[in-house]
Amino acid sequence: MRNFLSLIGKICLFIIFILLSQLPLLPLISGQIVARYPMWIIAPLIIVCYLILIGILFYTVKRTTGKSPFKKVTGKNIRFILAAYVVMILAKGILLTLMTKFYHQTISANDQAINSLVTDKTALLMTILVVVLVPITEELLYRGVFTSFFFKNQPFWQVAISGVIFGLMHSSTNFISALIYVTMGWILAYVYVHTKNLSNSLTLHILNNAPFISVLFN
């Protein structure tokens, strides 16, 4: 009974963390807030919210596992990350080609939603979020917290289920679009579960999101 209640508590806490991870973006999603207040007020508040959440997630993982999820990235890790990055790019390319063929859609709904938030006013903040703060938050949540809470010593299920949850939490309008993010989630989770180092999956995640920096020059 105690184990069952503990599991329910972990599920509830994980859901709460997912909901909290969505909250900092609400001021940007609400065009009225961006139009009404200057970015020197909005940006620091959003960044502080993410930093607080990152601190809470880090504390949760460290307390649950008894150690920091972040370790030094070694040369061997770098080769593994680059190999995983190539696999991710190839998988995304194939799936985007299929999505274009069957759904006549060249960009995912999630990317469209992110691009819609980018203006001259928000470009720098969005770059900081997409390239740095969101990857840290998502790695701690979907890899760190999930694997420390659920399916311990069952790496297959940790990778499979965390990848699906990660994918479903990104906006999709069709099956292939959803599969793109599920596949990304699987690859990121595999990198973490295989190396036991969140720094590795985080590096891969940042590499994947890094092209977003180009919005600063458009």
Side-chain angles (χ1 to χ4, degrees):
M1 186 63 169
R2 180 178 297 179
N3 290 339
F4 176 75
L5 292 176
S6 175
L7 176 61
I8 296 300
K10 289 177 179 178
I11 291 173
C12 291
L13 185 57
F14 185 70
I15 292 172
I16 290 171
F17 284 154
I18 289 177
L19 295 175
L20 289 176
S21 70
Q22 308 301 311
L23 291 181
L25 286 177
L26 290 181
L28 292 176
I29 295 172
S30 173
Q32 293 181 345
I33 293 178
V34 173
R36 184 174 180 180
Y37 298 101
M39 286 306 296
W40 65 266
I41 292 178
I42 297 174
L45 287 175
I46 292 175
I47 290 172
V48 167
C49 286
Y50 267 109
L51 292 177
I52 291 172
L53 179 57
I54 286 169
I56 293 171
L57 294 173
F58 177 83
Y59 172 79
T60 301
V61 176
K62 188 173 182 180
R63 183 180 180 187
T64 304
T65 63
K67 56 186 177 182
S68 171
F70 295 105
K71 303 180 183 69
K72 182 180 178 180
V73 178
T74 66
K76 183 178 180 180
N77 292 156
I78 291 174
R79 292 191 293 273
F80 186 69
I81 291 166
L82 291 176
Y85 181 64
V86 171
V87 173
M88 184 179 287
I89 292 299
L90 290 174
K92 286 171 59 180
I94 292 170
L95 291 171
L96 281 171
T97 300
L98 292 174
M99 187 171 71
T100 302
K101 179 178 178 61
F102 292 106
Y103 296 101
H104 308 292
Q105 187 177 338
T106 59
I107 184 173
S108 68
N110 189 78
D111 285 348
Q112 287 179 338
I114 292 174
N115 291 340
S116 70
L117 299 178
V118 178
T119 65
D120 290 341
K121 190 176 181 180
T122 64
L124 179 59
L125 174 61
M126 285 298 298
T127 301
I128 294 171
L129 297 183
V130 172
V131 179
V132 182
L133 295 180
V134 169
I136 296 174
T137 302
E138 291 184 340
E139 290 310 306
L140 280 166
L141 176 56
Y142 296 108
R143 260 63 70 182
V145 173
F146 183 87
T147 58
S148 67
F149 276 8
F150 311 112
F151 302 103
K152 294 180 181 180
N153 301 316
Q154 299 180 68
F156 174 82
W157 292 113
Q158 287 180 330
V159 171
I161 297 180
S162 67
V164 170
I165 296 173
F166 175 82
L168 293 179
M169 290 309 301
H170 289 74
S171 301
S172 299
T173 54
N174 59 69
F175 173 76
I176 296 178
S177 178
L179 188 57
I180 290 173
Y181 290 100
V182 170
T183 302
M184 288 172 57
W186 284 335
I187 294 172
L188 289 164
Y190 178 77
V191 169
Y192 172 61
V193 170
H194 181 73
T195 64
K196 305 298 182 184
N197 185 357
L198 206 61
S199 298
N200 295 330
S201 58
L202 175 59
T203 301
L204 176 58
H205 201 150
I206 290 174
L207 276 175
N208 178 74
N209 289 16
F212 190 83
I213 294 174
S214 63
V215 302
L216 294 175
F217 307 101
N218 292 339

